[in-house]
Amino acid sequence: MARHIYPCPLRWSDMDAFGHVNNVTFLRYLEEARVDFMWRLAPGNGSDAFTGGVVVARHEIDYLKPLVHRHSPVTIETWVTEIKAAYLTLRYEIKDEDALYVRAATRIVPYDLDQGRPRRVSPEEEKFLTDYLEPDPVKKGAGKAPAKPTGGAERSEGAVAV
């Protein structure tokens, strides 16, 4: 499977008082890679894939090693680990040839901006995303049926499983 590779430049203003890239800045780096992946790389030639809008529903970031300013960019690898009817999950690694700095994931919900509500992943979007689909390395046993509750444990009224 393919991964999207995005060379992300570091800016002097990305540093915090401790001399390393601020944790919030990593979210901006992920956004840059995601925008490049979904809007520059996604189907072109008049395609409306992803142009109706998407929203970020969740971010998950593991900071593994401090990153300090330098002139060479870091590499952000982006791939898809999950495609569902109404959302998808992207995974990222921010790294260079010497170190892995961040592992992250983002849940994306396609969104109809005109209607002001979530929408389904279109067949064209799914076809594009499938080229970047890999099993999630973090979720061991993903795809297995969830275990049934034991000992009288039940779902509370109104709980929503996503």
Side-chain angles (χ1 to χ4, degrees):
M1 295 297 147
R3 288 188 179 188
H4 174 253
I5 307 299
Y6 178 73
C8 185
L10 305 181
R11 300 156 213 56
W12 183 254
S13 61
D14 295 345
M15 301 306 116
D16 62 17
F18 301 110
H20 55 72
V21 173
N22 184 274
N23 64 306
V24 173
T25 301
F26 281 103
L27 282 170
R28 290 187 192 107
Y29 292 169
L30 299 178
E31 178 185 49
E32 287 180 36
R34 185 173 59 252
V35 166
D36 191 65
F37 173 64
M38 295 181 81
W39 281 279
R40 184 189 63 81
L41 200 61
N45 299 324
S47 167
D48 63 353
F50 302 113
T51 60
V54 297
V55 295
V56 170
R58 175 183 168 86
H59 282 300
E60 182 179 315
I61 301 176
D62 292 320
Y63 300 95
L64 305 173
K65 185 175 181 179
L67 176 60
V68 297
H69 185 267
R70 65 198 194 186
H71 295 290
S72 60
V74 289
T75 298
I76 303 176
E77 292 187 6
T78 306
W79 67 98
V80 179
T81 58
E82 194 173 32
I83 306 169
K84 299 293 185 182
Y87 70 87
L88 59 117
T89 303
L90 299 178
R91 282 226 164 254
Y92 318 80
E93 289 182 347
I94 299 178
K95 60 188 180 179
D96 57 27
E97 57 281 342
D98 298 323
L100 176 60
Y101 301 99
V102 165
R103 280 195 178 110
T106 302
R107 177 166 288 175
I108 303 289
V109 176
Y111 200 79
D112 184 324
L113 296 171
D114 293 332
Q115 302 265 331
R117 62 186 172 112
R119 64 174 177 81
R120 300 288 188 183
V121 174
S122 75
E124 182 180 21
E125 291 165 343
E126 184 174 2
K127 184 178 184 297
F128 166 74
L129 294 167
T130 300
D131 289 341
Y132 295 89
L133 186 62
E134 289 184 23
D136 191 336
V138 176
K139 291 184 178 179
K140 304 269 190 262
K144 292 182 182 177
K148 298 208 182 234
T150 59
E154 296 179 21
R155 237 185 236 189
S156 62
E157 268 314 298
V160 178
V162 178

